[in-house]
Structure formats: structure tokens, C-alpha cells
């Protein structure tokens, strides 16, 4: 089927500045509208950022988005109080560790770069659990109030660049809920052990993860190799212990045979139960959207991208992706059963390609036109697949923001 009347628009403001040499601030606010054809598509399974506050209107949906940061900086570090996106891990079509799939969340962030070869990053943020706290429900005359269980995210990353062409980063994170825990305000604490310190004999205090990433640049061939790994469940001493691991690996090359061009290819694989947790308030998500890669668990994807500069401000872009997605976990059955192998359950397969021209008419004024084709193969109980196809031809214009 072809959508012939899809429309969307955004307007807002961007403001940034500084106070003296050490204090900086920025603010971005956008008011957005999408008609039925846009927001009725499965936004949860796409690289588009998830919705925060939304208001349904006849023929469409309005939603807003706000990011703001207030930063104090010094020679070798900075401290930020903000609400914005933070990124951990590699990936051109989605970040495996921490991405912009879920809406941005408020946080305090400490970054330190005391020497050229080492950088440290720490984040403590507040998430939206989407889980109602039944003990705090309040009844009212005009409407009832259903508060959500408090949910928090804490992470730190140690990044080493011993050579100018090689970097390796290691880190950990914890999702915890119900109440604020001061122990997670210690930036250099080992969060896994802090989780153990808070754990009662019969319950888990939080959902902990380990992760890492690397990149290697070959300046002779103008090529960058990169990858990430995200470990939700793993035991090196017990081979029968459940494994919930994700990884991606990719290559990016500038001017590969063709001048003024760029080529990217990457593969991502996410095993079942990655980002999931037995406590619904502690899954690796905010507002119901994964905080890592948008394809979610029990899925893999191969993605490629080619960009050619035709003339100043004018680019031609080709994109291709093929994604396989198995069934998702749920809270109604035990985890890690024998059936829960990679791509278990009925599968969906997504084949997508895009051709786009973008042109910067003037500074910050961008015009885009692109054609996108999507074929979805939906697995049936009898082993066959139901095929759905969608074609889009889009014309977009943006000033000050990407269209």
C-alpha cells in the first residue's frame, strides 16, 4: 500500500550561551504534529525517538520534546545538570548501549579527561517506569491520579585511547527503582557490588549490566572499524547459566574508490532477554522504549549506507537494512526456557531500502526528498509468511533543525 497524504511538522527554538569562562547552557524545544499515517505506524519498532507527552487530535497527534543542559566546565572536566540524550557504544543505525530511542531523561553527569589517553564519564538519571504505583493512587472529582513507580539509571564509562588510532571503553550500568539510593552517587563505585550491597535475601535491588566498545582507525585507507558488546546475563564459570548478550560490529570508510563518498556496513545481534528483567519497573527502558538499540531483543540486523557528495551542499544517499525479529519475552511465563533460543517464536522480517537527496539551500536550511520501500514478512503458524509492502515518497524542509 502507498500512503499519499502523510504530513508532519515541527517548530520550536534553540538557545545557547555562556556565562564567563566556565558556565554554559543550551535549550532546545520542539512542538510536533503528525497525522494518522505517521503516528499509526509502529514507532516502537523504528529508529525514531519514542513519544513523551502526547495529545491526540482529530486526524493526528501532537507531542513536544525538550532538551536542556546547564554545565560548569574546567580545564580537564565538566559537571552537567540536564535533560538530553546521552550516547554509549558504536553504531550508525542504532546505539547498542545507550541511544536516543527512548525519550531524553533528566540527569546529572560528570565527565573528566585528566590526560589525553583517558576519559571518564558518569551519569545518574531519572526514568519513566510506566508502572503504576498502586499504593499511591488518588481519587479526584475531575480525574484520578495514577503515579508511576520511581525508576533510576546510573552508569559510568572508562575510556582509554593508548594510541591515536585505537580506543577501548568499558563500563557498567544499573536500573533500580522504588527509592533513590545514595550509594549510586559515588561515581567510581563498582555498581555491581553496590547492587549486591542493597540486595535482600529474597529480592533483587536492581538490574545490572556490563558493556564495552572499541574503535580502530586506519588512516592510510581512511577506514574505521568499530564494535560494542552489551552483557545483561552471563556466567563464565557456569556454562548452563542463561546468557543475554548483544553485540554489533561495523566498518566505515571515507572515499572508498569513489571520491567524496562514504560507505558504512554493520551487523547487530541481540539475544533473547537482553534489556528485559523479571521486575517490570527495572527493564532497560524508559517510557516503554528500549534505551539501547531500537530492534530490541531476539533480533538481528545488517545495515549499509552509502553517501556521495555531488556538489557543495547536495548529497545523494542510499540505505539498506534487513532485520529479523523473533517473539518478545513477557511476564506471563518463566524466563530462559529451552524454547528461548535465538529468533524463537514466529518471526518477522523487514527489508528496507531508501534513496535520498538532501540539499542545504542556505545555512541551516535543508531540503530533502526521499523514496523508501519496506517489505514486511510476517510468520504464520503454518510456516508460511504474509507479505506487506509499503512505499513512501517524502518531501521535507527544515530550518534550524533536521527535517
Amino acid at each position: 500500500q502507498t500512503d499519499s497524504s502523510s504530513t508532519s511538522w515541527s517548530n520550536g527554538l534553540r538557545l545557547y550561551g555562556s556565562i564567563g569562562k566556565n558556565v554554559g547552557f543550551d535549550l532546545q524545544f520542539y512542538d510536533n504534529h503528525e497525522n494518522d499515517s505517521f503516528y499509526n505506524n509502529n514507532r516502537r519498532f523504528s529508529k525514531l525517538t519514542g513519544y513523551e507527552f502526547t495529545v491526540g487530535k482529530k486526524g493526528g497527534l501532537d507531542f513536544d520534546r525538550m532538551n536542556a543542559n546547564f554545565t560548569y566546565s574546567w580545564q580537564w572536566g565538566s559537571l552537567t545538570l540536564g535533560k538530553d540524550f546521552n550516547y554509549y557504544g558504536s553504531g550508525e543505525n542504532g546505539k547498542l548501549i545507550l541511544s536516543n530511542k527512548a525519550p531524553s531523561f533528566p540527569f546529572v553527569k560528570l565527565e573528566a579527561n585528566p590526560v589525553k589517553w583517558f576519559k571518564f564519564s558518569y551519569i545518574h538519571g531519572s526514568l519513566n517506569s510506566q508502572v503504576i504505583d498502586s499504593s499511591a493512587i488518588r481519587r479526584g472529582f475531575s480525574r484520578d491520579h495514577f503515579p508511576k513507580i520511581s525508576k533510576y539509571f546510573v552508569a559510568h564509562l572508562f575510556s582509554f585511547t593508548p594510541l591515536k588510532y585505537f580506543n577501548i571503553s568499558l563500563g557498567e550500568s544499573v536500573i533500580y527503582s522504588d527509592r533513590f539510593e545514595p550509594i549510586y552517587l559515588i561515581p567510581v563505585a563498582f555498581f555491581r557490588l553496590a547492587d549486591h550491597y542493597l540486595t535482600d535475601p529474597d529480592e533483587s535491588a536492581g538490574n545490572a549490566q556490563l558493556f564495552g566498545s572499541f574503535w580502530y582507525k586506519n588512516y592510510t585507507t581512511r577506514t574505521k572499524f568499530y564494535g560494542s558488546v552489551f552483557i545483561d546475563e552471563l556466567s563464565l564459570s557456569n556454562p548452563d547459566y542463561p546468557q543475554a548478550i548483544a553485540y554489533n560490529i561495523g566498518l566505515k570508510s571515507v572515499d572508498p574508490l569513489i571520491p567524496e563518498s562514504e560507505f558504512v556496513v554493520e551487523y547487530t545481534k541481540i539475544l533473547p532477554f537482553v534489556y528485559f528483567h523479571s521486575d517490570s519497573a527495572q527493564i532497560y527502558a524508559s517510557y516503554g522504549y528500549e534505551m539501547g538499540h531500537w530492534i530490541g531483543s531476539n533480533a538481528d540486523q545488517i545495515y549499509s549506507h552509502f553517501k556521495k557528495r555531488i556538489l557543495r551542499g547536495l548529497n545523494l544517499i542510499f540505505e539498506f537494512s534487513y532485520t529479523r525479529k523473533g517473539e518478545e519475552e513477557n511476564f506471563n511465563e518463566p524466563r530462559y526456557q529451552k524454547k528461548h533460543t535465538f529468533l524463537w517464536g514466529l518471526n518477522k522480517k523487514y527489508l528496507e531500502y531508501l534513496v535520498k537527496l538532501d540539499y542545504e539551500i542556505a545555512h541551516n536550511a535543508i531540503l530533502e526528498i526521499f523514496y523508501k520501500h519496506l517489505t514486511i514478512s510476517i510468520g504464520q503458524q503454518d510456516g508460511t509468511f504474509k507479505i506487506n509492502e509499503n512505499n513512501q515518497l517524502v518531501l521535507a524542509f527544515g530550518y534550524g533543525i533536521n527535517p
Side-chain angles (χ1 to χ4, degrees):
Q1 66 182 45
T2 302
D3 297 325
S4 58
S5 59
S6 299
T7 58
S8 68
W9 52 258
S10 298
N11 62 72
L13 63 87
R14 298 177 64 186
L15 177 68
Y16 58 91
S18 61
I19 304 172
K21 296 182 178 180
N22 302 101
V23 177
F25 62 89
D26 65 84
L27 169 66
Q28 299 179 41
F29 168 76
Y30 301 115
D31 182 34
N32 309 273
H33 174 82
E34 296 179 353
N35 74 349
D36 289 329
S37 298
F38 269 87
Y39 82 83
N40 282 340
N41 289 332
N42 189 0
R43 194 179 189 95
R44 193 170 304 280
F45 194 74
S46 79
K47 61 183 178 182
L48 297 175
T49 300
Y51 296 119
E52 297 179 60
F53 177 78
T54 59
V55 178
K57 290 191 175 183
K58 184 177 180 181
L61 180 79
D62 280 15
F63 66 99
D64 53 43
R65 181 160 292 135
M66 184 274 290
N67 296 323
N69 296 279
F70 188 81
T71 302
Y72 179 82
S73 304
W74 57 95
Q75 187 175 5
W76 51 268
S78 63
L79 182 65
T80 299
L81 180 64
K83 178 186 180 293
D84 208 336
F85 297 109
N86 292 279
Y87 301 94
Y88 283 173
S90 305
E92 294 285 327
N93 199 43
K95 304 293 185 185
L96 196 67
I97 301 169
L98 189 58
S99 70
N100 64 346
K101 177 57 194 174
S104 62
F105 56 86
F107 61 86
V108 58
K109 177 168 64 175
L110 171 67
E111 291 186 308
N113 193 184
V115 290
K116 289 184 178 180
W117 54 268
F118 174 71
K119 184 176 181 179
F120 173 77
S121 175
Y122 162 84
I123 298 173
H124 192 293
S126 176
L127 309 178
N128 186 303
S129 70
Q130 294 285 286
V131 179
I132 294 174
D133 184 354
S134 59
S135 66
I137 294 175
R138 300 194 300 273
R139 302 294 181 182
F141 289 105
S142 59
R143 65 174 184 173
D144 298 330
H145 183 59
F146 299 91
K148 306 296 191 300
I149 291 176
S150 299
K151 181 175 181 178
Y152 303 95
F153 171 77
V154 59
H156 55 198
L157 183 73
F158 301 83
S159 185
F160 304 89
T161 312
L163 303 168
K164 69 175 184 178
Y165 51 81
F166 178 70
N167 171 273
I168 185 169
S169 300
L170 301 171
E172 59 174 342
S173 58
V174 172
I175 302 284
Y176 70 98
S177 61
D178 298 288
R179 62 185 181 273
F180 171 72
E181 296 289 357
I183 193 171
Y184 290 124
L185 286 178
I186 306 172
V188 296
F190 189 18
F191 295 148
R192 185 64 177 174
L193 296 184
D195 175 53
H196 292 170
Y197 167 77
L198 296 169
T199 300
D200 291 331
D202 60 344
E203 66 174 329
S204 173
N207 176 19
Q209 305 83 31
L210 296 174
F211 49 80
S213 65
F214 82 94
W215 53 255
Y216 166 77
K217 296 179 181 179
N218 188 310
Y219 290 95
T220 303
T221 60
R222 305 185 72 179
T223 300
K224 176 182 177 181
F225 301 91
Y226 58 86
S228 302
V229 62
F230 184 89
I231 302 173
D232 224 339
E233 299 278 358
L234 177 66
S235 175
L236 298 178
S237 60
N238 184 2
D240 296 325
Y241 191 82
Q243 295 187 4
I245 303 173
Y247 70 87
N248 70 350
I249 190 165
L251 174 152
K252 181 176 183 178
S253 182
V254 177
D255 297 342
L257 302 179
I258 302 174
E260 298 191 65
S261 67
E262 174 186 287
F263 174 72
V264 172
V265 60
E266 67 184 32
Y267 175 72
T268 301
K269 182 176 182 178
I270 307 178
L271 294 181
F273 298 101
V274 173
Y275 305 138
F276 189 72
H277 195 259
S278 57
D279 185 342
S280 59
Q282 294 182 1
I283 60 175
Y284 198 78
S286 184
Y287 275 97
Y289 297 92
E290 277 95 359
M291 294 168 60
H293 202 290
W294 60 268
I295 64 173
S297 62
N298 200 24
D300 69 348
Q301 179 186 80
I302 185 167
Y303 167 81
S304 64
H305 166 107
F306 177 78
K307 179 178 180 179
K308 175 69 174 74
R309 179 184 176 186
I310 300 175
L311 51 88
R312 181 178 178 84
L314 178 64
N315 301 293
L316 176 64
I317 299 167
F318 298 93
E319 286 189 2
F320 166 86
S321 67
Y322 178 66
T323 308
R324 300 182 299 175
K325 177 74 172 176
E327 290 188 19
E328 292 189 344
E329 50 282 301
N330 62 74
F331 297 101
N332 299 321
E333 62 177 14
R335 294 188 296 168
Y336 303 115
Q337 300 181 56
K338 289 185 177 180
K339 70 173 183 177
H340 291 146
T341 57
F342 180 60
L343 293 179
W344 69 277
L346 295 177
N347 281 203
K348 292 182 179 180
K349 301 177 181 179
Y350 301 80
L351 176 65
E352 181 177 312
Y353 58 84
L354 174 146
V355 182
K356 178 168 71 173
L357 276 172
D358 66 51
Y359 180 55
E360 188 173 15
I361 303 170
H363 182 62
N364 284 335
I366 300 174
L367 178 68
E368 288 185 353
I369 181 170
F370 65 84
Y371 167 75
K372 181 170 71 173
H373 173 83
L374 173 64
T375 299
I376 306 176
S377 303
I378 305 172
Q380 307 296 301
Q381 292 288 351
D382 60 3
T384 62
F385 285 86
K386 179 182 177 181
I387 308 299
N388 290 334
E389 293 189 344
N390 178 271
N391 296 283
Q392 289 185 348
L393 181 63
V394 177
L395 177 66
F397 173 78
Y399 180 76
I401 59 173
N402 291 327

